[in-house]
Amino acid sequence: MNICVFCSAADLDDRYTVPAREFAGLLGKGGHTLVWGGSDSGLMKVVADGVQEAGGRLVGVSVEFLAHLARPGADEMVVTRDLAERKAQLLARADAFVIMVGGSGTLDEATEILELKKHGLHAKPVVLLNTAGFYDGLREQFQRMEAEGFLPVPLTELVFFAEEGVGALAYLEEQAGTR
């Protein structure tokens, strides 16, 4: 399965990098391909290292203004003109999505993928990996949106919240019928 991971390119502390590396190892050992923003820095590097070390493939999708940060040695690296094209390529190349900890760029990618799913423009599974409670506030906001009628489909049809990587991968494999 081609699993797109949205996450930070920032250097983060162990409470985020250790679970990310563990999840990446599960992806690689499971024979999955990581589709990611292509960066060789921060949490993106941690995840790419973990997948590659465990035998998985790497498909990066970078953008021209960040191409100097692209990971050398990826199995495939695509460089797009802009962020909109990058997101379109990530969507096209992925069978499923995992949203890990990140900043405004990760949040932008997450909300776009959820908005497209809400409108039926894709039916790919989406997991919010809630490492160290990072997305507790966002989960609460989504629950409020659902309760107050802002979501035309049930929240459980849009996104699955996982507290650990093993649960995230189990959900994705179940959705793909490989578990």
Side-chain angles (χ1 to χ4, degrees), residues 36-58:
W36 93 117
S39 180
D40 199 34
S41 63
L43 197 62
M44 284 193 192
K45 178 179 177 17
V46 170
V47 173
D49 286 348
V51 169
Q52 199 167 46
E53 289 166 8
R57 291 187 71 248
L58 301 179

Side-chain angles (χ1 to χ4, degrees), residues 47-142:
V47 173
D49 286 348
V51 169
Q52 199 167 46
E53 289 166 8
R57 291 187 71 248
L58 301 179
V59 175
V61 182
S62 189
V63 64
E64 284 178 0
F65 70 89
L66 295 174
H68 65 284
L69 299 173
R71 182 184 183 94
D75 295 291
E76 183 180 349
M77 184 63 67
V78 176
V79 178
T80 63
R81 289 184 319 270
D82 56 35
L83 291 171
E85 185 182 345
R86 179 192 207 184
K87 288 186 284 187
Q89 283 292 315
L90 290 166
L91 175 64
R93 292 168 181 273
D95 300 314
F97 300 90
V98 174
I99 303 154
M100 299 179 88
V101 299
S104 59
T106 302
L107 189 57
D108 171 61
E109 292 162 335
T111 55
E112 179 160 335
I113 219 70
L114 291 172
E115 187 68 9
L116 293 170
K117 187 171 183 180
K118 180 182 89 175
H119 290 290
L121 298 173
H122 79 83
K124 300 171 184 182
V126 179
V127 174
L128 247 157
L129 187 48
N130 192 27
T131 304
F134 187 81
Y135 286 117
D136 285 348
L138 186 59
R139 176 179 10 210
E140 184 178 330
Q141 185 62 48
F142 278 134

Side-chain angles (χ1 to χ4, degrees), residues 3-59:
I3 300 175
C4 180
V5 173
F6 298 132
C7 65
S8 178
D11 292 321
L12 304 171
D13 66 40
D14 287 351
R15 71 182 161 156
Y16 299 123
T17 59
V18 170
R21 181 171 285 282
E22 290 170 358
F23 178 68
L26 293 171
L27 290 182
K29 287 177 191 160
H32 301 292
T33 295
L34 171 67
V35 180
W36 93 117
S39 180
D40 199 34
S41 63
L43 197 62
M44 284 193 192
K45 178 179 177 17
V46 170
V47 173
D49 286 348
V51 169
Q52 199 167 46
E53 289 166 8
R57 291 187 71 248
L58 301 179
V59 175

